[in-house]
Each structure stands twice: as structure tokens, then as C-alpha cells.
């Protein structure tokens, strides 16, 4: 009975000892996992986000942070990557209404038309500054916060990254077999020889390596953090370029008829807009003359009417007295003069008309540009005679003609008067005549392509209706009562140009390219560390251990460690296994006691295990 009790007590003590050992081993494993996690975090320069300490944790329930503490907490939040991404997303959302709603800085006329058509939405849009998105208070606030967030994030990370570049890789952890990628073998080479060979192998693979204690420490993949910093710096460059482009830009339009020219001065522009900090004295001095506009179109098939040639041939002069040069302006191929770009944006026809009074005297003869209203260049406009005309009684008066032009007329009885083809194959000009006051003497601006007939009277035909007629080149319209005539002499072509100066475009392009390159580096380059430890074992044979640690889990890390081990084995080959006479095992005390096994090996076996084939935790078993 006493023997049974003794056996029971012994088993209980053994079970308690095993439980205690397992508890200590679990605690050691957790501590090692914490150390490994901390080592992995040190591979990045990203600032750690710490929760502010409050008195509620100590049981008082009242925040312990003062004003300075809250400012620091707010600054940490503002400079965190999460807030920067949120601000970047908000900036993208804010640009959507700027693309869908007409903007005052781009086209005042479209904005006014939108307000006339949407009387309910317009006051709401004006309240939220949706007609001036890019200069609004809310868009500027997002823009400035994003700018500050990026700078506050980059400055400390840059300092940390420079410090890491100047420092050496840290020494090896105490237990390398806890790391994700691990291998080991035994060799007869001396530990110093193994370390020297490891330095050579790692140096050839572009690792930064040095000997730290009983191991070689190496690190690689610094371009990952460099890519992160380049990406953020490129974003700042793009933001600065965008701001500079909006503040110092200038943009204007000019319609030029063949044979006419343009000089880059404010008075020559049809419309002109600039940034708030732009100085008109910085306009680049140049001029050009439109010699010829060449436009050809597909004449048959489903693509009939599609432009094939669309170019303006010009002669331009750089500076006040520079040499005259020839150039060709095409769509998306601007003429660049002293940093200013001249774009070809539109094309149309300008009928040449001659107006005579009742005595046959020529009152005016000029080319009148008309505005296209469809892809076949059906055009409308107005012909105005403001000076030089007298009626049959010798009284000065003004003439006005509403004009409707088609370059290719389908013919009478074949539908409405719309062009069938953009080329001038069968041009027809329809005119209707008025006389009276054009309203230009009031001093109020008016559209040159529209005719205000509120103070004018119609010319009547024989039937008492409005005098109108369709003319072919060479034909004329005789005004009633011998008041004169208007002749359609021919057609010329015009081209519309956009002259713009955007100083931040080059910087924005460079920033975009750098951002893509930095983002690619941060995504595809992995920063990792490798340690090689070589120590002499109790039996006098050197035990070699290799382990790797990366910032994130990657299948390439074990493969790379295996390649390094294979290269190192050429210098530190595997030691042959020692064969000894097997001893006769003793009989087990109980049926449950473990016996010897043929698969049992030492912790540091004589054959290296490729990290890719190792168990889940990476330690050889």
C-alpha cells in the first residue's frame, strides 16, 4: 500500500514539474515573440502611434493631458499615414465637382448659362463655392492640411532613415531558431573562417554586413524606405507645382483668320485669365502670323467627315526683333516660344463679304468669322457695318445681317440648311438684313457673333416680309429701295488658339514620375536582415546557424536564406557524421516510457535544412 502511495506521489510531482516546465517554456516563447515583433518593427522608419496616457487608466476617470498634451496628440494624428490618406481621398473627392460643374476661372459664360438654367441649384452651389472649387475655403483647407501632414510625416522619418543608414545592423538574437527563416549545420571549419566567408558571401549579395559578437549581422533592402520617402516628397512637389501653376498661370484665347496675326500683349487677346500672383509684365514677347490652315477629311465610308489633316502653318518671331521662323501647330503639338505654349483648339470659316451703299460705294470689305454649331461646321454669326454707311437720304445709319453658313449644302428641297460635310465643297451663305442702331455706341460690351435687333428695323422684300436670301460665292443680296447691296465674295478659314503659360507643369510631371518610382520601390522591395552565427560545439565541431527576418511575411526570404546557405557551404562544408557502436538500451521502467528512435537527431544536425522546407516556425526539429 505504501509503495502504491509513493508511486502516486512521484507521478503527481512529475506531472507538476512538467506543467511548470511547459508554463515557463510558453512564457519564454511569448517573450521571444515580443522581442521578434519589436525587431521587425525596427525595420521601418514609420512613426509609432502611441495612445495618449490618461488618468482614467489610473482610476481617476479624468484625462491627464493638458493643452500641450492635446496639441502633441493632435500633431501625431495629423502626421500619421492614416490621416494623410484620408486627406488625399478628400482632395480627390473635392476635385469631382470642379470637373462636373462649370468653373468661373475657366468659362464665365458657361457659369452664367448654368445659373440661368438651374435657378434652384445655383444659390446652393454659390453658398458652397462650387463654381470656384479650387479657390474655395474648404478645398484650400484640405490642401493645406495635406501639405502640413506630409511635411510633418517626412521630416522625422527622413532623420530616422539617415540614422539607420549611418548605423550598423544590430547583433544577432540569442535564439536564432525562433526566427521565421532558419537553418543550421555542423562543419569542421573554424568559426573565424565561417565568419569571414559569410562576410564575403553577404557582401557579394549587396548586404551591409559586419561582425557583432559571435555572429555576422547583415541587412538589405534600404530602398524600400527610400521609396516611401521619395513617394511622399514627390507628393509635396506635385502639391507645390499645382499651387504655383494656379497662382502664376496665364491663359488666353485668340481667333486668327488666314493672313492675320497675333502679338502676345493683353490687348490682342479675345479673352484672358491669370492667377492671383501673375504679373502681366512677364508675358513672353513673341508674335505669329497664320499663313494657312490645312484641313482634310475622310470623304467616304463610315468615317466620312473625320479629320485627317488638321494643322495651322504659321510664321513666328521670338522677341521684339528676332528672326522670322516657320512652324506648324497641330492638335496636342503646340508651338513653344520662351516657355509659352500656343495650342490649336478650333477651326472654322470666315465668309468674305463686301457691303456697298446706294451709290455703289464700298462701305466695308472683310472676312467675318462664324462660329460652328456642329461637327460638319454649320456656322452662325453676325455681320455688322458700324461706320461709313448712309441711306438714300444721306443719313448715317448702321447695318446688321444675321448670317448662317454651310460649307457643303445638300441643295434646295433636301431638308433644312445644314452642312453635309466639313469641307468647303458647296458653300452657301444665308443672310437676313436689318438697319438701325446696333447698340455699340452705348458703351456696353456685346457679343460680336450675335445681332441685337431691339433697336433695328427689318429690310422688307416685295411681299412685305423680312429680306433674306441664300448666296453662293459671287452672288449678292440687293437691299430694298436701292439702299445698297452685300456680296458674298468667297471664304477664308480661321483657327482659334489658346496661349498658356503654366510654370508648374514640368515640376508636376517630375513629381508624378518620382511618385510612381517611389511607390514601386516601397511595394516590391523587402527590407530584411540575416544573421550567421558560428560557435564551437562541446565535441569540438563548429555549429553554424543562419536566420533571416523580414518586415513582412514573404516566401522569398526562406529562398534567399537557402541560397546564401548554399553559397556558404562551399567554404564551410558539412562535417561527416560520426558513427559509434550503439549501446544496448535499458528496459523501460513502464510501458509508457519513450524509447530510442532512429529519427532522433541533435538540435544542430549535421545536414542543413533549406529554410523553405523547414517547419512553420522556421526552426529545424
Amino acid at each position: 500500500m505504501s509503495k502504491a502511495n509513493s508511486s502516486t506521489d512521484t507521478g503527481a510531482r512529475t506531472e507538476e514539474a512538467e506543467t511548470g516546465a511547459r508554463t515557463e517554456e510558453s512564457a519564454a516563447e511569448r517573450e521571444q515573440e515580443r522581442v521578434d515583433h519589436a525587431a521587425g518593427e525596427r525595420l521601418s522608419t514609420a512613426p509609432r502611434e502611441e495612445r495618449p496616457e490618461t488618468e482614467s487608466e489610473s482610476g481617476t476617470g479624468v484625462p491627464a493631458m493638458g493643452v500641450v498634451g492635446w496639441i502633441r496628440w493632435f500633431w501625431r494624428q495629423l502626421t500619421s499615414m492614416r490621416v494623410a490618406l484620408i486627406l488625399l481621398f478628400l482632395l480627390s473627392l473635392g476635385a469631382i465637382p470642379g470637373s462636373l460643374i462649370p468653373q468661373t476661372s475657366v468659362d464665365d459664360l458657361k457659369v452664367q448659362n448654368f445659373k440661368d438654367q438651374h435657378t434652384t441649384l445655383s444659390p446652393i452651389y454659390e453658398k458652397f463655392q462650387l463654381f470656384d472649387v479650387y479657390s474655395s475655403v474648404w478645398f484650400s483647407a484640405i490642401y493645406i492640411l495635406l501639405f502640413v501632414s506630409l511635411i510633418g510625416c517626412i521630416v522625422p522619418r527622413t532623420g530616422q532613415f539617415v540614422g539607420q543608414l549611418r548605423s550598423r545592423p544590430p547583433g544577432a538574437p540569442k535564439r536564432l531558431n525562433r526566427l521565421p527563416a532558419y537553418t543550421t549545420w555542423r562543419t569542421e571549419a573554424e568559426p573565424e573562417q565561417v565568419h569571414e566567408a559569410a562576410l564575403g558571401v553577404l557582401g557579394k549579395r549587396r548586404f551591409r554586413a559586419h561582425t557583432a559578437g559571435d555572429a555576422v549581422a547583415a541587412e538589405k533592402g534600404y530602398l524600400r524606405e527610400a521609396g516611401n520617402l521619395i513617394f511622399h516628397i514627390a507628393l509635396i512637389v506635385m502639391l507645390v507645382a499645382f499651387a504655383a501653376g494656379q497662382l502664376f498661370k496665364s491663359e488666353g484665347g485668340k481667333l486668327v483668320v488666314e493672313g492675320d496675326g497675333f502679338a502676345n500683349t493683353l490687348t490682342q487677346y479675345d479673352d484672358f485669365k491669370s492667377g492671383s500672383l501673375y504679373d502681366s509684365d512677364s508675358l513672353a514677347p513673341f508674335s505669329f502670323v497664320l499663313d494657312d490652315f490645312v484641313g482634310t477629311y475622310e470623304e467616304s465610308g463610315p468615317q466620312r467627315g473625320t479629320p485627317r489633316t488638321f494643322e495651322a502653318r504659321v510664321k513666328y518671331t521670338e522677341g521684339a526683333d528676332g528672326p522670322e521662323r516657320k512652324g506648324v501647330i497641330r492638335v496636342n503639338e503646340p508651338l513653344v516660344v520662351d516657355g509659352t505654349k500656343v495650342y490649336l483648339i478650333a477651326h472654322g470659316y470666315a465668309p468674305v463679304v463686301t457691303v456697298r451703299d446706294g451709290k455703289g460705294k464700298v462701305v466695308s470689305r472683310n472676312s467675318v468669322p462664324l462660329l460652328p454649331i456642329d461637327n460638319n461646321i454649320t456656322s452662325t454669326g453676325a455681320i455688322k457695318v458700324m461706320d461709313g454707311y448712309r441711306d438714300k437720304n444721306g443719313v448715317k445709319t448702321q447695318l446688321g445681317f444675321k448670317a448662317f453658313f454651310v460649307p457643303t449644302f445638300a441643295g434646295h428641297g433636301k431638308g433644312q440648311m445644314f452642312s453635309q460635310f466639313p469641307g468647303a465643297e458647296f458653300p452657301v451663305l444665308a443672310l437676313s438684313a436689318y438697319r438701325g442702331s446696333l447698340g455699340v455706341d452705348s458703351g456696353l460690351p456685346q457679343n460680336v457673333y450675335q445681332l441685337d435687333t431691339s433697336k433695328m428695323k427689318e429690310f422688307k422684300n416685295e411681299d412685305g416680309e423680312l429680306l433674306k436670301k441664300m448666296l453662293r460665292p459671287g452672288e449678292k443680296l440687293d437691299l430694298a429701295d436701292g439702299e445698297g447691296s452685300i456680296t458674298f465674295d468667297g471664304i477664308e478659314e480661321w483657327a482659334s488658339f489658346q496661349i498658356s503659360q503654366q510654370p508648374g507643369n514640368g515640376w508636376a510631371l517630375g513629381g508624378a514620375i518620382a511618385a510612381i518610382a517611389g511607390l514601386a520601390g516601397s511595394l516590391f522591395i523587402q527590407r530584411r536582415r540575416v544573421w550567421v552565427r558560428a560557435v564551437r560545439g562541446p565535441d569540438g565541431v563548429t555549429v553554424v546557424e543562419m536566420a533571416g527576418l523580414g518586415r513582412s511575411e514573404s516566401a522569398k526570404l526562406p529562398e534567399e536564406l537557402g541560397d546564401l546557405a548554399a553559397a556558404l557551404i562551399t567554404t564551410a562544408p558539412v562535417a561527416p557524421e560520426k558513427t559509434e557502436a550503439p549501446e544496448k538500451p535499458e528496459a523501460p521502467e513502464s510501458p509508457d516510457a519513450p524509447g530510442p528512435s532512429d529519427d532522433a537527431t541533435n538540435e544542430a544536425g549535421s545536414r542543413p535544412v533549406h529554410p523553405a522546407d523547414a517547419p512553420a516556425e522556421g526552426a529545424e526539429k
Side-chain angles (χ1 to χ4, degrees):
M1 185 67 176
S2 60
K3 186 181 293 185
N5 293 336
S6 176
S7 176
T8 302
D9 294 340
T10 302
R13 287 195 297 271
T14 302
E15 183 177 358
E16 291 177 358
E18 293 178 352
T19 302
R22 286 195 297 270
T23 302
E24 293 179 358
E25 183 177 357
S26 300
E29 290 179 353
R30 289 194 297 270
E31 178 64 19
Q32 186 63 36
E33 289 177 357
R34 186 188 66 79
V35 173
D36 294 342
H37 179 70
E41 285 187 342
R42 288 194 296 270
L43 289 177
S44 174
T45 61
R48 299 182 181 88
E49 296 184 7
E50 301 176 357
R51 185 181 61 178
E53 184 180 357
T54 60
E55 292 186 9
S56 59
E57 296 176 352
S58 59
T60 61
V62 180
M65 296 189 303
V67 176
V68 177
W70 278 111
I71 293 176
R72 290 177 177 175
W73 177 85
F74 176 78
W75 177 253
R76 285 197 298 267
Q77 299 303 314
L78 180 61
T79 57
S80 66
M81 184 58 60
R82 178 178 63 253
V83 173
L85 292 175
I86 293 174
L87 291 173
L88 188 61
F89 178 70
L90 291 177
L91 195 69
S92 302
L93 287 180
I96 293 177
S99 302
L100 300 179
I101 300 174
Q103 298 296 296
T104 305
S105 60
V106 178
D107 195 331
D108 291 329
L109 182 60
K110 286 186 178 180
V111 173
Q112 188 59 46
N113 292 337
F114 185 91
K115 292 180 179 179
D116 295 339
Q117 296 173 4
H118 304 83
T119 56
T120 303
L121 287 176
S122 294
I124 300 176
Y125 285 1
E126 287 181 341
K127 184 177 181 179
F128 290 99
Q129 299 178 301
L130 296 183
F131 293 117
D132 298 279
V133 169
Y134 302 110
S135 59
S136 62
V137 175
W138 56 269
F139 190 87
S140 301
I142 298 174
Y143 187 90
I144 294 173
L145 285 176
L146 178 60
F147 192 81
V148 173
S149 176
L150 290 174
I151 292 179
C153 180
I154 288 174
V155 171
R157 291 188 67 168
T158 302
Q160 294 176 16
F161 181 63
V162 172
Q164 290 181 0
L165 289 177
R166 298 177 62 182
S167 64
R168 292 186 172 186
K174 184 176 181 181
R175 303 183 65 178
L176 291 177
N177 60 350
R178 296 287 185 180
L179 299 183
Y182 173 81
T183 187
T184 182
W185 71 92
R186 293 154 56 89
T187 182
E188 294 181 350
E190 297 295 329
E192 294 77 8
Q193 296 177 350
V194 176
H195 290 164
E196 185 176 356
L199 288 173
V201 170
L202 293 169
K204 291 180 180 179
R205 304 295 179 91
R206 297 189 300 277
F207 277 86
R208 292 179 57 197
H210 73 108
T211 302
D214 60 350
V216 173
E219 191 168 0
K220 187 179 182 181
Y222 289 95
L223 288 179
R224 179 186 180 92
E225 294 302 323
N228 283 330
L229 295 176
I230 290 174
F231 174 74
H232 290 85
I233 293 173
L235 287 181
I236 292 180
V237 171
M238 292 173 63
L239 291 175
V240 172
F242 177 77
Q246 292 297 315
L247 293 174
F248 297 97
K249 73 174 183 178
S250 67
E251 184 176 281
K254 179 63 177 179
L255 187 149
V256 182
V257 181
E258 289 177 330
D260 292 342
F262 166 79
N264 193 26
T265 58
L266 286 178
T267 56
Q268 288 282 298
Y269 282 93
D270 295 332
D271 59 87
F272 183 83
K273 295 182 180 298
S274 62
S276 57
L277 299 181
Y278 182 79
D279 184 5
S280 59
D281 293 336
S282 61
L283 284 172
F286 72 91
S287 60
F288 67 86
V289 175
L290 177 61
D291 282 343
D292 185 25
F293 180 88
V294 179
T296 60
Y297 309 89
E298 188 69 33
E299 297 187 358
S300 61
Q303 299 294 325
R304 186 175 187 268
T306 302
R308 296 306 179 197
T309 305
F310 204 78
E311 60 186 32
R313 300 173 181 175
V314 300
K315 293 179 181 177
Y316 68 96
T317 301
E318 185 175 354
D321 52 357
E324 187 177 72
R325 303 174 184 176
K326 292 185 178 181
V328 178
I329 307 175
R330 301 182 180 89
V331 178
N332 296 327
E333 295 182 16
L335 174 67
V336 181
V337 183
D338 195 16
T340 302
K341 295 183 178 180
V342 182
Y343 292 90
L344 174 64
I345 59 175
H347 157 256
Y349 293 100
V352 181
V353 296
T354 301
V355 178
R356 294 178 173 85
D357 59 14
K359 298 180 180 180
K361 178 184 176 181
V362 175
V363 177
S364 68
R365 186 182 189 278
N366 53 17
S367 303
V368 183
L370 304 179
L371 294 182
I373 60 175
D374 59 20
N375 292 332
N376 288 327
I377 318 186
T378 302
S379 306
T380 63
I383 301 173
K384 302 178 182 180
V385 180
M386 294 178 284
D387 298 310
Y389 176 79
R390 295 177 181 270
D391 60 13
K392 60 182 180 180
N393 298 322
V395 179
K396 290 184 178 181
T397 187
Q398 296 175 334
L399 299 180
F401 301 88
K402 288 185 178 180
F404 194 89
F405 174 79
V406 290
T408 302
F409 182 45
H412 295 282
K414 296 185 179 180
Q416 295 180 343
M417 185 179 171
F418 282 95
S419 179
Q420 307 298 313
F421 187 74
E425 296 185 351
F426 195 84
V428 173
L429 176 64
L431 298 174
S432 55
Y434 299 83
R435 61 183 173 182
S437 175
L438 294 171
V440 296
D441 297 331
S442 62
L444 298 176
Q446 60 176 226
N447 194 330
V448 297
Y449 303 103
Q450 295 179 353
L451 184 64
D452 182 8
T453 60
S454 60
K455 297 180 180 180
M456 305 190 77
K457 296 181 180 179
E458 300 176 349
F459 279 99
K460 303 293 185 178
N461 58 16
E462 297 178 354
D463 298 330
E465 298 178 351
L466 174 64
L467 179 64
K468 55 184 178 180
K469 185 179 181 180
M470 290 189 296
L471 305 177
R472 290 275 293 143
E475 298 179 349
K476 69 176 181 177
L477 170 63
D478 292 322
L479 303 179
D481 300 329
E483 296 283 349
S485 64
I486 179 171
T487 305
F488 178 25
D489 297 326
I491 55 173
E492 292 182 352
E493 298 183 77
W494 58 261
S496 181
F497 300 94
Q498 176 180 297
I499 300 94
S500 63
Q501 188 176 2
Q502 201 89 13
N505 284 347
W507 286 98
L509 177 61
I513 295 175
I516 295 174
L519 184 61
S522 65
L523 292 177
F524 298 108
I525 297 176
Q526 183 185 15
R527 190 172 175 189
R528 62 272 193 199
R529 290 171 179 167
V530 173
W531 292 276
V532 181
R533 173 178 286 146
V535 295
R536 194 178 301 279
D539 56 355
V541 180
T542 301
V543 178
V544 182
E545 292 181 292
M546 293 186 68
L549 176 65
R551 173 63 181 165
S552 58
E553 295 294 334
S554 174
K556 294 183 178 181
L557 180 61
E559 295 178 3
E560 185 176 25
L561 188 67
D563 295 338
L564 292 172
L568 187 58
I569 284 176
T570 59
T571 303
V574 178
E577 298 182 2
K578 296 181 179 181
T579 58
E580 298 179 357
E583 298 180 359
K584 184 177 180 180
E586 298 179 359
E589 296 180 359
S590 64
D592 297 334
S597 174
D598 295 337
D599 296 335
T601 60
N602 294 330
E603 181 178 353
S606 61
R607 297 184 63 83
V609 179
H610 195 288
D613 301 329
E617 68 272 20
E620 182 186 359
K621 301 298 182 181

